[in-house]
């Protein structure tokens, strides 16, 4: 069946509505993932996972980097914005999303703070904007009047598309004529080959399989556009951080160690370890995608967060009018205080 296409305005309204619900829930004190009681810090962290994949916290826990801290899986996330909304409303203790989504949630009055990078793009882990091999599209200007399919709007891939268009010299009026559409990732290759869209964003196993089938080529990639960069972070609520500083330090430092383990461990060994983690969960998950794993893509040592990883998206959201110019500085949104990796 053809992939369903969703227009930009509808998805943006739905996302902003969710932000409003999240902020209201936080302000009304409906959080359920709370502290460990007077004088005690939480030692079990509730979280959402991803089917057939291993998150950095799951890897850190399996490697023994969390000391006496344990994880409690409560289900799988459907998206980055949903994952951090769950953390902001207290359904979980932490969540991960694109830094632009983190900014939007903070702008919706959610009292959250990013504590460590969670994913990024490098030569192994990247997003490509693909066209058909015989497509006449060769430059950003060729995209005027064309459709670009991606997993969600107002987030990572639309931000990168807008950045590509702006850096290629298109005016705002011209860029507005490039239509971004939502297509489920598993349907993107099909939609591209069926010419429902002229460009499709592909990553990971879906990208590699599509390239192996031939007939497509990248117009550009995010790592070509920005160089290696960290795109997302793990967030926690400010209240939880204040009440559980030792727990947060153990969590963040453990994740940092897992990041560095993934950099220095031979790929085959890392894939075998993560495959075993999935099998031990006993949820009947398909581990095929793990065989294509090559990197978490995080640019900074130990996942530390530099200002530019937020400033880029603050500028983008400000230009789009989705936040007020100057509403935040990067330091308002993240902290490296709890990352003890490499500090002795």
């Amino acid at each position: 069946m053809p992939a369903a296409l969703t227009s930009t305005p509808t998805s943006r309204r739905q996302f902003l509505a969710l932000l409003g619900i999240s902020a209201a829930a936080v302000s009304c004190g409906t959080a359920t993932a709370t502290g460990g009681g007077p004088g005690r810090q939480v030692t079990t962290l509730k979280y959402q996972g991803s089917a057939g994949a291993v998150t950095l916290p799951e890897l850190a826990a399996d490697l023994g980097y969390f000391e006496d801290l344990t994880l409690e899986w409560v289900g799988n996330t459907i998206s980055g914005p949903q994952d951090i909304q769950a953390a902001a409303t207290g359904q979980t203790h932490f969540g991960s999303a694109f830094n632009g989504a983190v900014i939007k949630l903070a702008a919706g009055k959610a009292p959250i703070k990013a504590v460590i990078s969670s994913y990024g793009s490098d030569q192994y882990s990247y997003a490509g904007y693909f066209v058909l091999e015989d497509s006449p599209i060769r430059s950003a200007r060729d995209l005027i009047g064309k459709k670009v399919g991606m997993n969600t709007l107002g987030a990572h891939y639309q931000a990168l598309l807008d950045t590509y268009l702006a850096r290629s010299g298109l005016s705002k009026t011209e860029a507005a004529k490039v239509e971004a559409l939502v297509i489920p990732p598993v349907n993107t290759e099909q939609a591209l080959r069926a010419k429902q869209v002229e460009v499709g964003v592909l990553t990971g196993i879906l990208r590699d399989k599509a390239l192996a089938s031939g007939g497509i080529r990248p117009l550009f990639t995010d790592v070509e556009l920005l160089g290696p960069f960290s795109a997302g972070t793990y967030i926690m609520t400010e209240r939880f951080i204040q009440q559980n500083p030792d727990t947060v330090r153990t969590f963040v430092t453990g994740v940092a160690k897992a990041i560095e383990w993934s950099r220095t461990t031979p790929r085959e060994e890392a894939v075998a370890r993560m495959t075993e983690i999935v099998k031990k969960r006993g949820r009947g998950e398909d581990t095929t995608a793990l065989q294509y794993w090559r990197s978490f893509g995080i640019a900074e040592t130990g996942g530390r967060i530099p200002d530019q990883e937020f400033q880029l998206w603050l500028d983008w959201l400000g230009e789009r009018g989705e936040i007020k110019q100057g509403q935040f500085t990067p330091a308002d949104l993240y902290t490296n205080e709890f990352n003890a990796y490499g500090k002795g």
Side-chain angles (χ1 to χ4, degrees), residues 160-317:
L160 289 163
L161 175 62
D162 288 352
T163 301
Y164 172 69
L165 298 175
R167 292 188 178 185
S168 298
L170 270 68
S171 67
K172 290 185 178 180
T173 300
E174 292 170 328
K177 297 177 182 178
V178 181
E179 186 177 4
L181 299 172
V182 170
I183 302 178
V186 294
N187 298 123
T188 301
E189 179 186 358
Q190 172 195 353
L192 179 61
R193 295 189 188 279
K195 299 185 178 180
Q196 289 182 286
V197 294
E198 286 82 8
V199 184
V201 180
L202 294 168
T203 65
I205 184 175
L206 298 174
R207 177 198 64 221
D208 293 344
K209 284 187 171 183
L211 285 170
S213 298
I216 65 171
R217 58 178 171 81
L219 174 63
F220 73 96
T221 69
D222 58 359
V223 74
E224 289 173 347
L225 183 65
L226 300 177
F229 69 102
S230 295
T233 47
Y234 286 107
I235 66 98
M236 292 177 161
T237 65
E238 293 179 347
R239 179 182 179 185
F240 183 82
I241 292 170
Q242 291 167 0
Q243 293 179 344
N244 301 274
D246 296 333
T247 296
V248 175
R249 185 170 290 104
T250 299
F251 171 80
V252 172
T253 304
V255 170
K257 290 178 179 178
I259 291 169
E260 294 310 311
W261 182 91
S262 74
R263 293 190 208 273
T264 57
T265 301
R267 177 184 172 276
E268 294 76 14
E269 183 180 336
V271 169
R273 183 79 180 233
M274 290 190 285
T275 300
E276 185 60 27
I277 291 171
V278 172
K279 289 180 178 178
K280 285 190 297 186
R281 296 198 294 232
R283 302 175 198 155
E285 300 165 87
D286 184 354
T287 61
T288 301
L290 281 173
Q291 309 313 308
Y292 291 81
W293 181 91
R294 298 180 72 187
S295 167
F296 287 107
I298 294 170
E300 303 80 19
T301 299
R304 285 195 179 86
I305 308 169
D307 280 358
Q308 64 263 29
E309 303 295 12
F310 275 97
Q311 190 61 58
L312 179 66
W313 312 121
L314 284 169
D315 294 341
W316 176 67
L317 290 166

Side-chain angles (χ1 to χ4, degrees), residues 13-69:
R13 285 196 298 270
Q14 291 171 340
F15 181 75
L16 292 176
L18 283 171
L19 288 183
I21 293 170
S22 296
V26 172
S27 64
C28 291
T30 59
T32 57
T34 55
R40 293 182 296 166
Q41 295 190 31
V42 170
T43 57
T44 298
L45 298 180
K46 295 182 179 181
Y47 79 102
Q48 295 184 113
S50 181
V54 175
T55 66
L56 279 164
E58 289 171 328
L59 179 60
D62 192 72
L63 290 167
Y65 294 157
F66 281 166
E67 302 170 10
D68 61 348
L69 192 65

Side-chain angles (χ1 to χ4, degrees), residues 50-102:
S50 181
V54 175
T55 66
L56 279 164
E58 289 171 328
L59 179 60
D62 192 72
L63 290 167
Y65 294 157
F66 281 166
E67 302 170 10
D68 61 348
L69 192 65
T70 59
L71 299 179
E72 180 183 341
W73 176 73
V74 298
N76 290 326
T77 183
I78 58 172
S79 71
Q82 185 276 333
D83 199 29
I84 60 175
Q85 288 158 16
T89 55
Q91 299 168 66
T92 59
H93 289 105
F94 63 87
S96 164
F98 166 60
N99 287 334
V102 173

